[in-house]
Amino acid sequence: IDMNNENIKVTLKIRLSEYLFNIKKFDVNFIIAKVMLDRLYEFPDITIEEIAYLANTTPSSVTKFCKRIGYNGFTNIKSDAFFQNNNLEYISNHHTTPKEYYDTITNGLKNLYDSLYLLYDHNQIDKIAKQLSMAKKVCIIVGMHGFATANFFEEVMRPFDIIVYEINRNADLSIIEDCIHETDMCFIISLTGEWVEQRFSQINPKIMKEYQDKIVILTMQDNLSVPIKQIVSFPPNSYLYSSNIYSSSTEQSFFILLAAYLSQYKPSTQ
């Protein structure tokens, strides 16, 4: 395989998968989403005209769909591509035995966890853990792709008798506002930062100001405009996001380390 052709927009894949998961009726947007998923490995070379032709629609409809899933347009989608240097297709084609394949994946995950341990701001996580030690109820707000991480967070908090509410970030803003109000801390996962900028920023300013100290945002962006003090930055545009396996493992590694620091302040009850 020519690895230079393995450009894939992980964020697009996540958005398309989430859109298809939530869609309730068959329409042209459903077809466009399926065509884009089918042709994901042709980005950024595929044209809007090709997408429109395959979906039996017009380029303007494709542009409207792009805006529906959070992009400014098709050009914005194409520029979102980045080099995937750890994709599973490459691994499967270069390791012939089951043991080689298994070792490559598991060793890659071990290397990922080791590198992340060095990259994290341990003072920041220690501070978050100390605040978390006084919490009884917390919420985690994620997209559809983040539910595995949300469930994992709930599991690692269970031994500390901390209740975790898992909230879909596509829920009505009133639900999100209520959860922030009713819980002691709120964790938000927004890798691209776009959900935070476009939707979370629309919550009641009074709630944002009053509860900004108990909100933690996990993201790849370090220039968010929202007035939140605790922003955990993941490495941007990295192989860590070349697949859902690596992105989920990255997110979960934060909560593993958070639980480790939490154990210093709040002993496990199990």
Side-chain angles (χ1 to χ4, degrees):
I1 290 179
D2 180 3
M3 290 296 288
N4 289 322
N5 291 329
E6 295 303 308
N7 291 307
I8 179 173
K9 299 168 318 346
V10 172
T11 53
L12 174 59
K13 181 178 180 181
I14 290 170
R15 293 187 206 196
L16 291 172
S17 299
E18 183 174 331
Y19 183 84
L20 286 175
F21 185 87
N22 287 304
I23 200 167
K24 293 180 173 60
K25 65 178 182 178
F26 180 85
D27 61 9
V28 67
N29 293 308
F30 172 81
I31 299 174
I32 294 172
K34 280 187 82 280
V35 168
M36 284 191 174
L37 272 176
D38 291 342
R39 303 286 171 151
L40 201 60
Y41 283 87
E42 295 184 30
F43 281 88
D45 297 323
I46 195 167
T47 66
I48 189 172
E49 288 79 14
E50 289 175 290
I51 295 291
Y53 175 78
L54 293 168
N56 195 28
T57 188
T58 62
S60 63
S61 294
V62 176
T63 298
K64 290 178 182 177
F65 173 76
C66 294
K67 293 180 178 179
R68 184 184 291 266
I69 61 173
Y71 291 96
N72 293 328
F74 191 74
T75 301
N76 186 221
I77 280 183
K78 289 167 71 84
S79 66
D80 197 30
F82 63 83
F83 180 57
Q84 178 180 342
N85 58 0
N86 245 336
N87 74 83
L88 300 183
E89 181 180 351
Y90 177 82
I91 292 173
S92 65
N93 287 341
H94 285 74
H95 297 86
T96 56
T97 69
K99 184 66 165 60
E100 278 188 327
Y101 185 96
Y102 180 86
D103 287 345
T104 300
I105 297 293
T106 54
N107 290 337
L109 289 172
K110 177 63 166 61
N111 292 335
L112 171 63
Y113 284 122
D114 289 345
S115 63
L116 285 168
Y117 183 83
L118 299 175
L119 291 171
Y120 280 124
D121 182 341
H122 287 246
N123 290 331
Q124 181 189 37
I125 295 178
D126 181 49
K127 181 180 178 181
I128 295 172
K130 188 174 183 179
Q131 183 179 355
L132 183 60
S133 68
M134 296 178 282
K136 294 182 179 179
K137 297 183 293 183
V138 302
C139 68
I140 179 169
I141 300 174
V142 297
M144 295 303 300
H145 67 282
F147 280 150
T149 298
N151 290 334
F152 181 80
F153 180 44
E154 189 278 329
E155 287 185 18
V156 296
M157 290 297 103
R158 194 181 307 156
F160 300 100
D161 285 339
I162 297 176
I163 298 172
V164 177
Y165 299 117
E166 303 173 27
I167 308 299
N168 187 332
R169 68 187 188 189
N170 291 321
D172 190 85
L173 284 179
S174 61
I175 295 176
I176 294 174
E177 291 172 348
D178 182 72
C179 286
I180 294 174
H181 173 73
E182 294 294 332
T183 56
D184 301 308
M185 288 189 75
C186 175
F187 293 83
I188 297 172
I189 298 179
S190 178
L191 297 184
T192 66
E194 290 187 18
W195 180 85
V196 170
E197 295 285 18
Q198 296 178 6
R199 185 158 170 79
F200 181 68
S201 60
Q202 297 176 16
I203 70 171
N204 190 317
K206 292 182 179 179
I207 291 179
M208 181 83 76
K209 183 177 181 179
E210 182 177 357
Y211 299 117
Q212 61 178 302
D213 291 339
K214 70 176 187 179
I215 297 173
V216 179
I217 297 178
L218 284 71
T219 183
M220 292 189 295
Q221 302 299 323
D222 56 4
N223 58 348
L224 296 178
S225 62
V226 291
I228 303 302
K229 297 179 180 179
Q230 292 287 9
I231 296 180
V232 178
S233 297
F234 289 138
N237 295 336
S238 149
Y239 81 91
L240 305 183
Y241 304 97
S242 60
S243 76
N244 284 336
I245 290 178
Y246 292 111
S247 61
S248 294
S249 297
T250 299
E251 295 164 0
Q252 291 171 20
S253 71
F254 167 80
F255 292 112
I256 292 173
L257 193 55
L258 181 63
Y261 276 100
L262 177 62
S263 65
Q264 297 184 123
Y265 300 105
K266 187 172 186 177
S268 171
T269 60
Q270 297 182 14

